[in-house]
């Protein structure tokens, strides 16, 4: 089977230790978590883990099955990149003199639709939101000029298809 990118969405109660147990499932199978984001979901008192992995669909299906065995997990899903709408965010800290002395820096900012978050005497901070490749491209363009600091978020994603989680939870509430 061919490896590809999968986004795993896990809906759960917000309990201490769940993240550790979920990451252990990947560790046991020697599958690297490429990106991880945890936030509240569209459902009150329910957290959503968004986990990105590069593996086969067979392994992804097995992992989702193991995740769903965790007592706090309500439901887990997986989707391919084609089945999701996703974004990442990144911020770059760069020496201030480059903003004024290097015309190419201004071109990179403009062409990539990055935003200047703050400017101080010693540095300025750029924010870029987009797909992984877009952020990687800005990183590569800025690298020769010197990046003082760089950080990127985990993927945030929604499925193109309707998620049945809300209806599923309503069913539990009325049982």
């Amino acid at each position: 089977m061919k490896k590809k990118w999968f986004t795993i969405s896990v809906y759960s109660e917000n309990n201490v230790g769940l993240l550790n147990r979920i990451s252990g499932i990947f560790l046991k199978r020697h599958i690297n978590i490429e990106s991880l984001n945890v936030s509240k979901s569209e459902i009150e008192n329910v957290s959503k883990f968004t986990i990105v992995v590069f593996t086969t669909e067979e392994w992804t299906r097995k992992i989702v099955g193991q995740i769903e065995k965790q007592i706090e997990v309500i439901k887990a899903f997986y989707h391919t990149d084609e089945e999701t709408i996703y974004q990442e965010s990144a911020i770059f800290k760069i020496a201030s003199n480059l903003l004024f002395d290097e015309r190419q820096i201004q071109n990179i900012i403009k062409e990539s639709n990055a935003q200047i978050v703050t400017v101080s005497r010693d540095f300025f901070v750029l924010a870029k939101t987009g797909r992984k490749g877009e952020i990687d491209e800005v990183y590569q363009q800025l690298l020769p000029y010197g990046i003082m600091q760089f950080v990127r978020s985990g993927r945030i994603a929604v499925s193109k298809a309707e998620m049945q989680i809300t209806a599923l939870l309503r069913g539990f509430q009325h049982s």
Side-chain angles (χ1 to χ4, degrees), residues 2-3 77 93 134 155 159-160:
K2 188 179 174 203
K3 286 185 174 185
F77 304 88
K93 181 178 171 183
E134 295 173 277
R155 175 181 288 190
S159 65
K160 289 180 181 177

Side-chain angles (χ1 to χ4, degrees), residues 29-46:
R29 288 157 184 77
H30 302 282
I31 295 174
N32 191 40
I33 295 173
E34 300 289 336
S35 169
L36 171 67
N37 182 64
V38 183
S39 68
K40 66 182 190 176
S41 72
E42 66 275 18
I43 305 152
E44 192 174 339
N45 299 319
V46 174

